[in-house]
Amino acid sequence: QAGLTQPPSMSKGLRQTATLTCTGSSNNVGIEGAAWLQQHQGHPPKVLSYRNNNRPSGISERISTSKSGNTASLTITGLQPEDEADYYCSTWDRSISAWVFGGGTKLTVL
Amino acid sequence: EVQLVESGGDLVQPGRSLRLSCTASGFNFGDSAISWFRQAPGKGLEWLTFIRRKTNGGTTEYAASARGRFIISRDDSRRIAYLQMNSLKIEDTAVYYCAREVPGTGGDFDDWGQGTLVTVSS
C-alpha cells in the first residue's frame, strides 16, 4: 500500500509541460521532500531527482522539482516521446522509520 | 562505472527460503548503505530494508512487510549485500532490486540494478 498519493495517470501533448504531484504528510514530504524516479516498461527505475531537488548527473535540464507544504511536484518541460513512462515519488517517513513510495503516475505523451 | 547486479532469483514453493545477492562494482562499497526494493507484477515500487555502512554501525531498518521474515546483511570484503528471505509467500512474487546510498544526498538511494525475479508458487 502506497504511503504517498500520486494521480494514477496523466496525458499531455508533445512539447507540452507536465507537472506531476505527490502528496504526503508533515512526517515525510513536508519535512524530507521527495525523490522522483522514472520507470519505463520492463526496465529498472531511474532516479530523476533527489530529495534535496538536485538532479543526478546526466538527467535532463527539462526536469525540475519543487515542494510546497506536504506536496512535492515534478515538472517536465518540452515533452518528448521518451518521457512516456511511470513516475514514482519516494521519501523517508520519520513517523514509521521507513521509505515510502507513491503509487506512481503513468504519463502518456500524445 | 557504478554497477549493482542482483542475482539469486528463482521459482520457489511457499514456505521455502531464498537468498538474493547484490554484487557491487565501481564505487567504495564499504562507504555506502545498501537497500533492497521490490516490485510485484504490474504494481508499484516497495522498499524492504537497508543496511548502513560499518562506520555508521552497520545497523538495519526494515519495512513492516519484511520485518521478521527478511534479513539483510553485507560482506564488504566481497562487495556483496544479501537479502535472506524466509517463509516465502505467494505475495512475495516480485522483481527484487538493490540500490546504493548516494554520497552527499543525505541518504537517498540510486544506481538501481537490473533486478532479479522471485516467483513463489506451488
Side-chain angles (χ1 to χ4, degrees), chain B residues 2 9 12 17 23 27 38 49 52-53 55 89 97 103 105:
Chain B
V2 172
V12 295
S17 297
T23 303
F27 66 100
R38 70 182 178 184
T49 177
R52 295 178 178 86
R53 57 185 181 180
T55 52
K89 305 175 183 180
Y97 298 101
T105 62

Side-chain angles (χ1 to χ4, degrees), chain B:
Chain B
E1 178 193 7
V2 172
Q3 191 171 24
L4 295 170
V5 178
E6 303 91 341
S7 60
D10 203 351
L11 169 62
V12 295
Q13 294 180 324
R16 303 298 291 264
S17 297
L18 196 64
R19 189 179 77 164
L20 306 182
S21 299
C22 170
T23 303
S25 61
F27 66 100
N28 193 338
F29 182 78
D31 282 347
S32 291
I34 300 294
S35 188
W36 284 95
F37 303 84
R38 70 182 178 184
Q39 187 170 35
K43 302 296 185 182
L45 299 168
E46 179 187 13
W47 170 73
L48 295 173
T49 177
F50 73 79
I51 185 166
R52 295 178 178 86
R53 57 185 181 180
K54 291 280 198 305
T55 52
N56 281 351
T59 52
T60 58
E61 303 287 346
Y62 290 92
S65 58
R67 196 174 298 123
R69 291 193 303 127
F70 293 1
I71 301 170
I72 189 172
S73 61
R74 63 188 299 156
D75 183 338
D76 289 354
S77 65
R78 300 183 65 195
R79 305 172 63 85
I80 300 176
Y82 299 100
L83 182 66
Q84 176 68 41
M85 303 187 295
N86 301 319
S87 303
L88 283 163
K89 305 175 183 180
I90 291 175
E91 52 265 38
D92 293 319
T93 294
V95 175
Y96 286 72
Y97 298 101
C98 62
R100 68 151 184 157
E101 180 186 19
V102 181
T105 62
D108 285 28
F109 291 95
D110 200 349
D111 300 310
W112 293 51
Q114 290 296 311
T116 188
L117 176 62
V118 173
T119 303
V120 184
S121 174
S122 54

